[in-house]
Amino acid sequence: MKILYYDCFSGISGDMHLGALVDLGVELEYLQKELAKLPLEGEYELSATTVSKSGIRATQVKVKLREHHHHDHHHDHHHDHRTFGNIRAMILSSALSLRIKERALKMFQKIAEAESRIHAKPLEQVAFHEVGAIDSIIDIVGSAIGLEALGVEKIYASRIELGGGFVRCAHGLLPVPAPATLEILQGLPIGLHGVPFEATTPTGAAILACNVDSFSGSLPLSPQKIGYGAGEREGVDIPNILRLILADEPVQPSPKEVLLETNIDDMSPEHLAYAVERLFEAGALDVYMTPITTKKNRLATKLSILSLLDKERELTQILFQETSSIGLRRLEVEKIALARRFIQVPTPWGEVSVKLSMQGEKVVRYKAEYEECRRLAMTHSVPLHTLYLAIDKAVESCLNDTNH
């Protein structure tokens, strides 16, 4: 499983993040090509250079704004104060892929919600005026492009260092962290005053809050590639860089399972069926019966129970209590199973959960959840096979979309 780990010992800002993504192997040309799908032609230049921070080689990505000499003042003013509403419309109407749009909008919305709470302004009217809105747009849409390009399945991060001191902004001097940064990171693990400057910006905070699956300092990872993104800060003790680690998650050995078996030749089928019911309720992974012939050619039933080790005692008790068995065989088993994933698939009659069996990234087979299909077929009086045909079609187009 491909994993991305954010090591935020010196915080995170939009430009540090873009730098780290490029350092990890997201091509600058690819970023530029995708960003060109936004209607910001000629308003900025994107450049990447290699710099040294405390002796560590890192990539610094800069967004240089072009001067608008030939525009009137009013036009300039409009660019300094793009609202969340404007930006959302711009992203939605662009030719970017759906997944990039969703990622980018989630981050913008997170910042806008924080600002709207702090300044008591309606969401749509929140203005992005810090260092020009273009910076934020490039940083955030660039993040979405880069993260999709890396194709990681899980994103983890360390505790987030926010810094300390004061920072000058449009409203005057504000304490570090900026109110928006704290607002965005509510409920997440942070560090304060670890460095004497603004380490994490609202943009950096939104990147983490919207994309990280879980925050943890200790993870079983095997690093494959490491990227360093440089911030603007010079002359500080702790290097102002963000470290991104692209890693594989070692395959966890599956929990041990045990197979319990007993032969039964003197029970009424009703009582046996009741015992099976009880075993399932108590958490057996599987219970099944096999017709067998025992000595003297007597017909009997072999009862098999598959259980996790920690459920074994409880299931054994039920077995002795509810069946005529006076002994059983136990066998520790190891299972080899394909990884599974669920997706929701639309049909003309409603959504259905489909279980995908995966081999790495590849979908080997899929199966719709029968109970959901049964319910839809009954509710809408549709033949079951018609429903399954619609599901097949929807799954195929869904898989084709993600492969392109």
Side-chain angles (χ1 to χ4, degrees), residues 110 153 246:
K110 194 82 173 159
E153 291 166 76
L246 204 51

Side-chain angles (χ1 to χ4, degrees), residues 40-311:
L40 298 173
E41 205 54 61
E43 298 201 19
Y44 69 94
E45 270 169 54
L46 203 58
S47 65
T49 49
T50 301
V51 297
S52 169
K53 292 272 178 182
S54 308
I56 298 174
R57 189 205 58 75
T59 298
Q60 186 163 45
V61 167
K62 284 194 167 165
V63 180
K64 187 167 174 261
L65 301 185
R66 296 237 176 100
E67 294 300 320
H68 289 278
H69 291 309
H70 51 283
H71 288 318
D72 61 21
H73 173 74
H74 177 71
H75 191 80
D76 267 357
H77 186 72
H78 162 74
H79 279 294
D80 291 346
H81 292 75
R82 278 203 167 91
T83 63
F84 173 57
N86 298 148
I87 292 171
R88 188 170 60 191
M90 180 202 321
I91 292 172
L92 283 175
S93 61
S94 73
L96 289 161
S97 81
L98 184 63
R99 289 173 69 143
I100 291 174
K101 285 180 184 175
E102 280 175 357
R103 247 192 225 277
L105 287 173
K106 203 168 149 193
M107 291 184 259
F108 260 117
Q109 175 135 1
K110 194 82 173 159
I111 298 176
E113 281 169 355
E115 296 281 2
S116 117
R117 282 198 295 272
I118 292 161
H119 304 302
K121 261 196 167 159
L123 195 63
E124 297 292 313
Q125 288 168 33
V126 168
F128 285 78
H129 48 211
E130 295 296 303
V131 210
I134 294 190
D135 248 9
S136 309
I137 295 169
I138 301 306
D139 287 345
I140 289 175
V141 179
S143 295
I145 294 165
L147 288 172
E148 285 300 327
L150 288 177
V152 291
E153 291 166 76
K154 276 265 190 290
I155 299 178
Y156 297 124
S158 69
R159 191 179 77 154
I160 311 150
E161 177 53 55
L162 304 190
F166 289 86
V167 64
R168 181 169 294 287
C169 74
H171 306 284
L173 273 182
L174 284 182
V176 167
T181 304
L182 265 186
E183 192 80 27
I184 290 165
L185 294 177
Q186 272 185 35
L188 301 181
I190 60 166
L192 286 171
H193 308 295
V195 290
F197 53 84
E198 181 182 32
T200 296
T201 61
T203 302
I207 290 168
L208 293 177
C210 295
N211 296 296
V212 173
D213 296 302
S214 77
F215 289 82
S216 163
S218 55
L219 282 166
L221 297 176
S222 31
Q224 304 296 324
K225 203 169 178 193
I226 294 149
Y228 291 96
E232 296 280 339
R233 219 52 67 174
E234 289 299 342
V236 288
D237 290 343
I238 294 177
N240 185 209
I241 48 184
L242 167 70
R243 177 158 50 192
L244 284 188
I245 303 169
L246 204 51
D248 278 335
E249 188 171 42
V251 177
Q252 300 294 329
S254 59
K256 276 270 180 8
E257 293 179 9
V258 62
L259 183 62
L260 307 172
E261 286 188 342
T262 184
N263 298 349
I264 292 171
D265 63 359
D266 56 354
M267 266 184 82
S268 100
E270 277 180 351
H271 292 185
L272 195 50
Y274 175 75
V276 170
E277 221 173 283
R278 286 284 318 274
L279 289 163
F280 268 124
E281 277 169 12
L285 297 174
D286 201 2
V287 184
Y288 52 95
M289 291 179 277
T290 318
I292 54 169
T293 21
T294 58
K295 57 180 184 239
K296 298 187 186 161
N297 281 339
R298 273 196 209 130
L299 292 177
T301 301
K302 179 169 78 171
L303 180 64
S304 306
I305 303 157
L306 192 62
S307 156
L308 288 174
L309 277 182
D310 58 357
K311 289 271 183 209

